[in-house]
Amino acid sequence: MLGAAAAVALVWAMAFPAHAAEQGDPVSYEAAVASGLGEESTAPADEGSDSGVTGLTAEQQALMAEDADWTARVNLYHAGGGGATGNDSLGCRPIPMRTMAVDPRYIPRRTRLFIPETVGMRMPDGTLHDGYWYASDTGGAIKGQKIDLYTGHGRGSMQPAMRFNQRRLTLIDAGRFDGCPPSWDAQPSQTLMASAPTSVGSN
């Protein structure tokens, strides 16, 4: 049985856990939860990202400062396990972290897009994403303000981009591209056509 002093201390700790913690007295878990201790919001983590992205090209810097041409809710997709199979709608091999599926009535195919939120995303090989994606695929379930980002083979490939899944992201028109989306060995500018304005409904 508790002595009177111990009982008073316990009641004090339960009623005022934050003060008790400052005094170095033990606070029970139940008392801490009841008082709301620990409910402070935690700053979002840039998991997998280099939060201090530097070395952006002049084009990337200019695109980062632009307003959105479109916004869309993101869904991730991958090859294998019922995910993507074969080539994209342009007949190209999907490129992980490059290929994007769109509704061509909302975002024309062959649009080269810049997604500022993905700049600096750390990929499995340690490289950082440059923010460029390529509208080269379509899908029956992709209607209006929705896009699918292709992440690679298997569910594990989605991990670097998982924090973007089901979020609405900013899409900036960075011109048109010819051929297929470039591999990560090629510079995005090598496939850039003249940056003529695109019109909704073109393919």
Side-chain angles (χ1 to χ4, degrees), residues 1 33 72-73 88 97 105 110 115 142 167 177 191:
M1 186 168 176
V33 170
R73 185 171 296 280
D88 63 24
M97 303 296 183
R105 296 168 301 180
R110 294 200 176 280
I115 305 180
I142 304 171
R167 277 187 54 196
F177 69 95
T191 60

Side-chain angles (χ1 to χ4, degrees), residues 96-155:
M97 303 296 183
R98 283 279 192 234
T99 295
M100 174 193 293
V102 299
D103 178 348
R105 296 168 301 180
Y106 183 59
I107 299 173
R109 283 191 309 169
R110 294 200 176 280
T111 302
R112 179 178 177 244
L113 292 132
F114 184 77
I115 305 180
E117 293 92 336
T118 64
V119 173
M121 176 179 65
R122 190 171 298 281
M123 296 188 289
D125 65 357
T127 59
L128 302 179
H129 203 285
D130 55 14
Y132 293 103
W133 297 81
Y134 295 78
S136 64
D137 206 0
T138 59
I142 304 171
K143 305 289 186 187
Q145 298 181 21
K146 295 181 180 178
I147 58 171
D148 282 5
L149 301 181
Y150 177 69
T151 60
H153 187 81
R155 271 190 83 78

Side-chain angles (χ1 to χ4, degrees), residues 40-44:
E40 302 85 12
S41 60
T42 303

